[in-house]
Amino acid sequence: MSNNQKVRHFLDLNDFDEKTLRGILNLALEIKAKLKNGERPALLNDKILAMIFEQTSTRTRVSFDVGMRQLGGETLMLAGSDMQLSLDETLSDTAKVMSRYVDAIMIRISSHEDLLELAGAASIPVINGLTRRSHPCQVMADIMTYEEHRGSIKGKKITWVGDANNVLLSWVEGATIFGANLYISTPKQYAPNQGMLAQIAASNGLVKIIEDPKEAVKDADLVMTDTWVSMGDKDADERRKILAPYRIDKKLMSLAKPDAPFMHCLPAHRGDEVTPEVIDGKQSLVFDEAENRLHVQKAILCYVFGIEKL
Ligand code: CP
Ligand code: NVA
């Protein structure tokens, strides 16, 4: 548990138990229903969220920004490259200074160690908006989306095909916490690293590695992938070559259960990790998934500010 008692960070799913995460998901559903009904409760009135982006973003940036505003709060959008931390100011000093100005920080930063340093020194909540290690806000939205369409994720066969990246790591944690059976199909070159293997080993058999994508997708209740080239990956051409057999096309999808949704956190690369007929087809939930980032972000913001009910 990296959260101390005074400050509620949202750094990784593993920092929480199922009850807490379920509470956040339930709140997200309630906030979503209210918004659809034209209601925008001012739960975060007077709160200011600073958002620091060391890397590019569309969904995370816009959903946190709009989410704060719809709940009555305000935002500051800061490019990491414009801040002194891009020269030589430490994350720790940055955290202490920011803690005197704003009410919470959401940060997208490559190094997970840097995220932990920032959170360790901050006296305000810090939210992980993606690191090379993990993307917990994304997987909360993914679970919300699956469950809205197909009911509880517990006991379901969830299949990930592609590269063992940050989104997958948060899925390994999420599947373990929520009791889903996660099957991971990657080529050897882009298989789970030691850190992820340790998480898999701690999953009580819920997470399995099945190299062959056909076997992994067979009878799946949900099929997922992500870009083959994550931010910071340098070997794009090599990746496209090695990962080609892991592309999700209609033939591969046809091995899953007939009503199995396809999900992808976006941005997508049609023709690489997924064909247009799958991502733009009727099994695809990618835009509901993207929308749910907004609702889940709001619930995470409420959680870190100590608001657990409407
Ligand atoms: N899925 C996701 O995090 O998208 P962005 O990189 O656009 O924020
Ligand atoms: N795995 C991707 C996710 C983007 C939202 C990346 O890290 O670039």
Side-chain angles (χ1 to χ4, degrees), residues 56-61 108 135 138 231 265-267 293:
T56 52
S57 166
T58 297
R59 280 142 290 270
T60 306
R61 176 187 304 258
R108 171 166 288 190
H135 198 3
Q138 178 66 53
M231 291 177 275
C265 67
L266 305 179
R293 292 293 305 277

Side-chain angles (χ1 to χ4, degrees), residues 93-307:
D93 284 356
T94 304
K96 287 176 190 160
V97 171
M98 299 286 287
S99 297
R100 307 265 177 136
Y101 296 146
V102 299
D103 300 293
I105 299 171
M106 192 281 299
I107 185 163
R108 171 166 288 190
I109 190 161
S110 177
S111 158
H112 200 77
E113 289 67 37
D114 285 354
L115 170 78
L116 297 181
E117 185 185 336
L118 183 87
S123 54
I124 54 171
V126 173
I127 299 172
N128 175 3
L130 183 148
T131 65
R132 283 288 287 178
R133 179 183 186 274
S134 59
H135 198 3
C137 297
Q138 178 66 53
V139 171
M140 289 293 278
D142 293 356
I143 294 171
M144 176 178 175
T145 307
Y146 179 83
E147 293 194 333
E148 277 185 307
H149 287 267
R150 296 286 185 275
S152 171
I153 198 138
K154 197 178 173 72
K156 295 285 166 42
K157 177 173 177 178
I158 311 298
T159 300
W160 176 277
V161 181
D163 165 40
N165 66 14
N166 44 7
V167 177
L168 177 61
L169 191 275
S170 290
W171 256 108
V172 169
E173 296 185 354
T176 305
I177 294 164
F178 286 102
N181 298 296
L182 175 64
Y183 288 69
I184 300 173
S185 173
T186 67
K188 285 195 181 63
Q189 294 88 331
Y190 303 115
N193 62 18
Q194 288 305 320
M196 196 183 292
L197 286 174
Q199 301 279 358
I200 293 170
S203 76
N204 301 320
L206 284 164
V207 184
K208 295 186 180 62
I209 299 176
I210 308 277
E211 201 179 319
D212 177 9
K214 293 195 197 72
E215 199 188 327
V217 169
K218 192 171 180 302
D219 296 327
D221 295 288
L222 166 62
V223 180
M224 281 180 300
T225 190
D226 185 11
T227 179
W228 289 341
V229 187
S230 283
M231 291 177 275
D233 284 336
K234 305 265 185 291
D235 51 345
D237 292 344
E238 184 76 354
R239 285 175 163 271
R240 287 200 182 91
K241 229 175 7 198
I242 292 171
L243 282 153
Y246 294 78
R247 175 174 301 121
I248 299 188
D249 58 14
K250 218 171 153 185
K251 205 164 152 212
L252 190 58
M253 263 320 269
S254 73
L255 302 175
K257 288 198 179 139
D259 67 342
F262 169 78
M263 299 203 328
H264 185 312
C265 67
L266 305 179
H269 306 83
R270 287 168 176 77
D272 278 354
E273 71 270 11
V274 61
T275 58
E277 61 189 356
V278 172
I279 193 167
D280 301 317
K282 63 179 187 333
Q283 279 165 270
S284 175
L285 295 183
V286 297
F287 297 110
D288 287 354
E289 188 183 353
E291 179 190 328
N292 279 339
R293 292 293 305 277
L294 171 66
H295 312 299
V296 137
Q297 251 60 295
K298 287 179 177 174
I300 291 170
L301 286 163
C302 286
Y303 172 79
V304 299
F305 286 122
I307 300 164

